[in-house]
Amino acid sequence: MSMSTADDRAENAEETLSDAEYRERLRELPPSAKLVAKVLESDSPLSQGQLAEESLLPDRTVRYALNRLEDAGLVSSRYSFQDARKQVYYLNI
């Protein structure tokens, strides 16, 4: 579970990272987070279920990867326009 506050997330959502900063932050993350980021690079925004389907990772692993990416300020989320019950994720680059 993400330990950042709503204010931290708002700052991260407004922050657009340079390519070098993005790669530096990504380097420190686990392989599952790197895979999820790679999937988001090619097709974004995606829901958690879509990320699990595209990456072939279990839902729980995708959730963990998204939390790590959010904590690092690499991924943000918003509610889906097609289904307001779901959140979709996109990279901050």
Side-chain angles (χ1 to χ4, degrees):
M1 177 178 260
S2 176
M3 299 300 290
S4 62
T5 65
D7 292 333
D8 292 338
R9 286 188 185 152
E11 286 175 18
N12 287 340
E14 295 171 4
E15 177 183 344
T16 301
L17 300 171
S18 68
D19 190 51
E21 179 68 22
Y22 169 77
R23 301 245 178 253
E24 182 63 33
R25 290 185 188 185
L26 191 60
R27 184 174 292 128
E28 304 298 320
L29 296 176
S32 60
K34 292 174 184 172
L35 177 58
V36 168
K38 190 66 174 173
V39 170
L40 286 172
E41 279 180 14
S42 64
D43 192 17
S44 179
L46 294 172
S47 69
Q48 180 181 324
Q50 291 169 319
L51 283 166
E53 190 175 303
E54 291 292 320
S55 66
L56 302 177
L57 293 172
D59 288 336
R60 185 174 177 174
T61 304
V62 171
R63 231 179 358 261
Y64 172 76
L66 286 169
N67 284 334
R68 296 295 303 267
L69 288 164
E70 281 182 323
D71 290 345
L74 299 175
V75 168
S76 294
S77 64
R78 63 169 169 77
Y79 288 103
S80 171
F81 296 132
Q82 283 96 15
D83 187 350
R85 296 171 295 174
K86 295 182 181 181
Q87 286 193 326
V88 292
Y89 298 88
Y90 56 92
L91 294 175
N92 290 332
I93 55 171

